[in-house]
């Protein structure tokens, strides 16, 4: 059985973005592409509703590329417990209130890693 990996939206963005002129962004794009090509096949990949929503935002052409990339990746059901964990990361933890979606990504990733709060949707 392969290990499960939760794919957050920034991975999808780096994979589908046009090449950047910013050296740091180029480095991130290259590392992400390399991981996707060499390592991703070794894992069962999952996304969440948050990845779907974020991938559909912004420039329509870029959104189309992001949504095409995630098509077919199983979407985890985000339970109330995972949402509560995300809220706790904001109210009691290190995540600022302006980064609510990031808190939910962390909560879903933590929950899926420990298989506590999320199940693949049918």
């Amino acid at each position: 059985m392969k290990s499960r990996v939760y794919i957050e939206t920034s991975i999808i963005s780096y994979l589908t973005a046009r090449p950047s002129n910013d050296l740091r962004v180029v480095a991130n794009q290259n590392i992400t592409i390399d991981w996707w090509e060499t390592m991703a096949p070794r894992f069962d990949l999952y996304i969440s509703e948050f990845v779907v929503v974020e991938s559909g935002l912004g420039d329509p052409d870029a959104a189309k590329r992001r949504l095409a990339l995630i098509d077919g990746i199983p979407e985890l059901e985000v339970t109330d417990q995972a949402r509560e964990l995300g809220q706790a990361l904001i109210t009691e933890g290190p995540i600022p209130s302006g980064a609510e979606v990031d808190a939910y990504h962390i909560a879903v990733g933590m929950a899926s890693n420990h298989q506590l709060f999320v199940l693949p949707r049918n």
Side-chain angles (χ1 to χ4, degrees):
M1 184 167 118
K2 293 180 180 180
S3 295
R4 296 166 52 163
V5 173
Y6 175 71
I7 302 296
E8 188 264 339
T9 316
S10 61
I11 302 298
I12 306 306
S13 295
Y14 281 132
L15 289 169
T16 59
R18 292 187 176 98
S20 174
N21 292 327
D22 182 308
L23 291 178
R24 290 183 193 174
V25 174
V26 169
N28 287 338
Q29 287 175 320
N30 289 338
I31 290 167
T32 303
I33 291 167
D34 183 56
W35 184 89
W36 191 261
E37 291 173 353
T38 62
M39 298 300 292
R42 300 179 186 188
F43 298 95
D44 288 328
L45 305 179
Y46 292 89
I47 58 172
S48 70
E49 64 189 65
F50 306 113
V51 175
V52 175
V53 169
E54 286 184 308
S55 293
L57 298 175
D59 176 75
D61 290 333
K64 185 176 179 180
R65 289 191 303 275
R66 290 189 297 268
L67 291 170
L69 182 68
I70 63 173
D71 186 44
I73 298 176
E75 184 180 327
L76 297 171
E77 178 182 355
V78 182
T79 64
D80 291 340
Q81 291 168 314
R83 290 178 194 281
E84 289 171 14
L85 178 57
Q87 281 298 310
L89 288 169
I90 295 168
T91 59
E92 301 171 28
I95 307 298
S97 60
E100 186 173 356
V101 173
D102 292 331
Y104 289 126
H105 282 303
I106 293 167
V108 171
M110 289 172 60
S112 63
N113 184 50
H114 296 288
Q115 299 181 358
L116 297 174
F117 305 128
V118 292
L119 301 170
R121 289 186 178 189
N122 293 331

